[in-house]
Amino acid sequence: MRSFQCPTCAQPVFFENLSCLACGTQLGFDPASLDIIAVATADGGGRGVACANRALIHCNWIVGGDGGPLCPSCVMTPTVGGGSVPVASEAFERAKKRLIYDLTRFGLPIADASPPLMFLLDESLPTGHSGGIVTLNVGELDAIERQRQKSALQEPYRTLLGHLRHEVGHYYWALLVGDGPMLATFREVFGDETINYADALARHYAEGPPADWSSRFVSAYASAHPWEDWAETWAHYLHMVASLDSAEAEGIETRARGLKLGAAWPFQPADTYRTETCEALIQRWIPLTIALNNLTRSMGHDDFYPFALPAAAHRKLAVVHDVIRQAART
């Protein structure tokens, strides 16, 4: 993610900031320009119209051009479990907004897709995707419950943003791969998705992943079915691109393999979301994860990135990369 500055005093601000801590300017994120701007105030200052959910869930986005009271993110989660509450969770919206930022930077279809991408928070439905709707079980909003599930399922990584990136991977598989020209490549690299999905998941949960999963997949769960392999790889690709873009924006330079004075990429600026090759992204990603894992261990935390990318996963990441780039061009 790019770095942002207060439009009034130029102090650094975060993507989620409602106001500048230095000068007090009320801030809003403009999804059209992908920038932080000043929100319109009663005294005539600013220009962005604040989302109606600003007070309810601290939404800092501004409304779109349709004249509605909600921002482009909040309109994608219209209700909770069929009820009348617009959006129930600040944490959920924060994660969703970072996801939408990613998809926008890639140039992927979102609201203009068919079906359009939508989100649902629900107490009874499991986390998943169906027909363009990404559902998140309300239990995942509880950090303690997420940790319990993480331990029970022996997962090294479990976050709201990770869930959303994974589930939206299923959405874009149907939208961008499906029965299209990339299906043959998908089957060659990920496998035959026509094998019974329910049976494959039941077998995974009953027997666990194959013994050699770490040499073929980005995660243990990816071994359950080709669709899950795609969704896990998609999520990892988004983790990689978003983190590399943030590292570049903050001037974090790690040593790439074979270079003693730092990585090559600071001397060849490129749009991480749009122009670099997949191999170049991976070569930047590996030293960055090693550096960040060392930093989090130094603070007594678990690894920032508790995964290792086998060579087989590089080819899968490249397919995801190609699908996204082709969709952005069209």
Side-chain angles (χ1 to χ4, degrees), residues 232-247:
E232 284 287 271
T233 305
W234 174 283
H236 275 65
Y237 182 80
L238 266 61
H239 294 334
M240 177 174 69
V241 172
S243 298
L244 285 171
D245 196 65
S246 296

Side-chain angles (χ1 to χ4, degrees), residues 289-304:
T289 57
I290 292 172
L292 291 175
N293 282 349
N294 273 330
L295 287 173
T296 52
R297 291 184 187 191
S298 296
M299 290 293 293
H301 294 294
D302 294 336
D303 282 349
F304 162 83

Side-chain angles (χ1 to χ4, degrees), residues 106-288:
F106 281 126
L108 290 171
I110 307 174
D112 56 342
S114 181
L117 180 61
M118 298 291 288
F119 296 84
L120 175 68
L121 279 168
D122 194 277
E123 294 182 349
S124 57
L125 294 175
T127 296
H129 163 263
S130 179
I133 301 175
V134 169
T135 302
L136 187 78
N137 185 275
V138 172
E140 292 290 345
L141 302 179
D142 188 322
I144 296 176
E145 175 60 19
R146 282 202 309 277
Q147 185 61 40
R148 189 189 70 79
Q149 292 282 355
K150 177 180 175 180
S151 298
L153 298 174
Q154 298 182 341
E155 295 178 341
Y157 174 87
R158 192 180 183 95
T159 67
L160 293 180
L161 183 54
H163 275 317
L164 295 181
R165 284 174 173 162
H166 173 101
E167 297 304 338
V168 86
H170 289 297
Y171 168 75
Y172 281 107
W173 185 90
L175 191 69
L176 305 179
V177 181
D179 295 324
M182 287 298 295
L183 182 59
T185 300
F186 170 84
R187 287 176 173 169
E188 176 187 347
V189 176
F190 290 89
D192 182 6
E193 84 289 352
T194 64
I195 62 176
N196 189 282
Y197 180 68
D199 289 348
L201 289 189
R203 183 167 56 253
H204 173 79
Y205 286 118
E207 303 174 6
D212 66 342
W213 72 264
S214 62
S215 66
R216 298 189 289 130
F217 302 94
V218 296
S219 70
Y221 187 57
S223 67
H225 187 276
W227 280 339
E228 297 304 337
D229 193 6
W230 164 270
E232 284 287 271
T233 305
W234 174 283
H236 275 65
Y237 182 80
L238 266 61
H239 294 334
M240 177 174 69
V241 172
S243 298
L244 285 171
D245 196 65
S246 296
E248 182 174 5
E250 297 300 332
I252 299 174
E253 183 178 341
T254 53
R255 293 185 177 183
R257 284 183 248 180
L259 292 174
K260 295 183 178 180
L261 298 177
W265 55 268
F267 308 106
Q268 299 173 346
D271 184 343
T272 307
Y273 285 86
R274 294 290 190 104
T275 60
E276 285 195 275
T277 66
C278 187
E279 184 58 28
L281 292 171
I282 292 172
Q283 291 304 314
R284 288 175 56 188
W285 179 236
I286 292 172
L288 179 64

Side-chain angles (χ1 to χ4, degrees), residues 20-175:
C20 174
L21 298 181
C23 71
T25 296
Q26 293 298 296
L27 304 175
F29 178 77
D30 177 12
S33 64
L34 295 178
D35 204 1
I36 296 290
I37 65 174
V39 170
T41 56
D43 61 5
R47 60 186 177 91
V49 179
C51 176
N53 281 336
R54 190 175 179 91
L56 178 65
I57 58 163
H58 301 141
C59 172
N60 75 326
W61 280 29
I62 65 170
V63 301
D66 60 359
L70 298 178
C71 73
S73 174
C74 287
V75 297
M76 297 171 71
T77 313
T79 61
V80 179
S84 59
V85 179
V87 183
S89 166
E90 179 180 351
F92 169 71
E93 276 297 317
R94 286 164 66 101
K96 177 158 68 78
K97 284 176 169 65
R98 284 195 171 254
L99 172 67
I100 295 171
Y101 177 92
D102 290 339
L103 303 179
T104 303
R105 286 283 302 275
F106 281 126
L108 290 171
I110 307 174
D112 56 342
S114 181
L117 180 61
M118 298 291 288
F119 296 84
L120 175 68
L121 279 168
D122 194 277
E123 294 182 349
S124 57
L125 294 175
T127 296
H129 163 263
S130 179
I133 301 175
V134 169
T135 302
L136 187 78
N137 185 275
V138 172
E140 292 290 345
L141 302 179
D142 188 322
I144 296 176
E145 175 60 19
R146 282 202 309 277
Q147 185 61 40
R148 189 189 70 79
Q149 292 282 355
K150 177 180 175 180
S151 298
L153 298 174
Q154 298 182 341
E155 295 178 341
Y157 174 87
R158 192 180 183 95
T159 67
L160 293 180
L161 183 54
H163 275 317
L164 295 181
R165 284 174 173 162
H166 173 101
E167 297 304 338
V168 86
H170 289 297
Y171 168 75
Y172 281 107
W173 185 90
L175 191 69

